[in-house]
Amino acid sequence: MDFRTLRAFVEVVRQGGFSQAAKTVFATQSTVSKAVKQLEDEIGAPLLDRIGHRSLLTPVGEVVYRRGVKLLADRDDLLAELDEMRGLKRGVLKLGLPPVGSATLFAPLFAVYRRRYPGIEVRLTEHGSDQLEESLRAGEIDFAGILLPAAPEFEWQEVGSEPLVALLPAAHPLGTRRSLTMGDLRETPLILFDSGFTLNRIILHAARRAGFEPDVVARSSQIDFMVQLVAAGLGVAFLPRLIAEQRSSPAVRQVPLDEPGTDWVMAMVWRRGAFLSEAAKAWLALVREVHGRAS
């Protein structure tokens, strides 16, 4: 059903005739008459009972008019909402962020975005990189903050890179070293993040390259809790340098990890070739503005 013919019919009823309807829709009376006839032919029944110069609604015409008014109103609302979304007055941005590093890397971006586009609703999801990748593939989120390397199906923009540091109990004999390798920690139990965190794989691969299978004594998604476990002497944990510096404690020594392939490289990732809403495009533009062009 053509909205143009429906609009002509509704205006004929509203204005009480073809002549006034023609003025309302900025068309000739003949054009309006043809539009109504086209609608009647499509429906297969007369909509107006023409008595002299008067036109009365038929029973079918009453139904079409009632429904038509609602359809046209919904169409107008839809177009208005799309205009607002194009103007970034409304919309939704769905972000998936990791527990590690979000406060440092993404909170400032989020604050700028909210100031620029206060009408955009931002829906945040927090998980490890593995689960965020699955949510991204399923189209449940527009962007994910994950550690590189990213799968070929994704495009990405790097937003931060930090070397890892080992967090050791203050009394640990290696706590005074200037740097450590994974081989140096062969006899020290590890405290890792929960499963699904890419940082775990980085650490475990480094240990296996050094020729040993580490003793993992605890897993957690809470950085502060992991630091406390280190302070209690349970084992060694690993954090990006910038984040570790924010959790300094007299009971914990921070020693740089001198191990190839263990840098923590965070990126904002999205599906290659995916449709991006205006709200999503604005977020990507901000990320590029702050961190450079896409990789």
Side-chain angles (χ1 to χ4, degrees):
M1 184 177 293
D2 191 332
F3 278 106
R4 180 185 57 84
T5 59
L6 186 61
R7 174 76 70 185
F9 167 67
V10 166
E11 290 303 330
V12 168
V13 178
R14 280 177 172 168
Q15 305 302 325
F18 288 82
S19 177
Q20 287 301 114
K23 294 177 183 178
T24 303
V25 298
F26 304 102
T28 65
Q29 184 172 335
S30 173
T31 299
V32 172
S33 180
K34 289 178 181 178
V36 173
K37 181 63 168 60
Q38 181 181 334
L39 185 60
E40 288 179 324
D41 290 343
E42 182 179 354
I43 292 173
L47 303 177
L48 296 169
D49 185 6
R50 297 165 178 81
I51 304 174
H53 295 294
R54 299 169 57 210
S55 296
L56 302 177
L57 284 170
T58 65
V60 173
E62 290 179 358
V63 173
V64 174
Y65 174 73
R66 184 177 70 252
R67 297 280 187 156
V69 169
K70 186 176 185 306
L71 283 171
L72 290 170
D74 287 344
R75 175 182 179 272
D76 290 344
D77 287 346
L78 171 61
L79 293 177
E81 186 169 342
L82 291 176
D83 284 342
E84 288 190 343
M85 292 177 71
R86 281 189 284 267
L88 292 172
K89 295 179 181 177
R90 296 180 64 181
V92 176
L93 174 67
K94 295 171 288 185
L95 292 179
L97 300 180
V100 181
S102 291
T104 302
L105 294 178
F106 299 115
L109 285 174
F110 179 72
V112 173
Y113 188 84
R114 289 291 296 171
R115 285 197 300 271
R116 291 185 182 179
Y117 313 109
I120 302 297
E121 177 189 352
V122 181
R123 297 176 185 170
L124 294 175
T125 300
E126 187 178 66
H127 288 297
S129 290
D130 288 355
Q131 191 164 342
L132 289 179
E133 285 189 19
E134 289 305 312
S135 296
L136 195 58
R137 288 189 182 97
E140 297 169 353
I141 53 178
D142 300 314
F143 297 97
I146 67 172
L147 292 184
L148 294 180
E153 65 197 280
F154 299 131
E155 296 186 73
W156 52 272
Q157 166 65 53
E158 183 178 320
V159 296
S161 179
E162 290 285 323
L164 292 183
V165 298
L167 278 61
L168 295 161
H172 197 284
L174 297 176
T176 57
R177 295 274 294 272
R178 294 178 62 87
S179 65
L180 294 169
T181 66
M182 283 303 298
D184 295 328
L185 298 167
R186 182 185 302 270
E187 304 301 326
T188 304
L190 303 190
I191 300 167
L192 298 182
F193 284 93
D194 284 335
S195 60
F197 283 70
T198 301
L199 186 54
N200 287 355
R201 288 201 296 274
I202 292 174
I203 297 301
L204 293 175
H205 287 167
R208 289 160 188 160
R209 285 197 304 269
F212 70 97
E213 191 66 31
D215 176 20
V216 180
V217 293
R219 294 178 182 268
S220 175
S221 62
Q222 303 299 318
I223 295 177
D224 290 336
F225 181 59
M226 295 171 71
V227 173
Q228 290 303 312
L229 292 180
V230 173
L234 196 63
V236 58
F238 301 88
L239 287 175
R241 180 180 57 192
L242 182 62
I243 298 169
E245 289 172 350
Q246 297 169 351
R247 265 87 173 178
S248 61
S249 165
V252 175
R253 302 291 185 197
Q254 298 184 13
V255 183
L257 183 64
D258 184 12
E259 189 72 39
T262 57
D263 280 359
W264 180 86
V265 185
M266 179 62 66
M268 184 57 62
V269 174
W270 63 99
R271 286 180 297 136
R272 188 177 298 278
F275 167 78
L276 295 179
S277 67
E278 295 301 318
K281 289 176 183 176
W283 172 259
L284 181 56
L286 175 61
V287 172
R288 287 173 171 172
E289 175 186 325
V290 175
H291 295 289
R293 300 299 299 171
S295 301

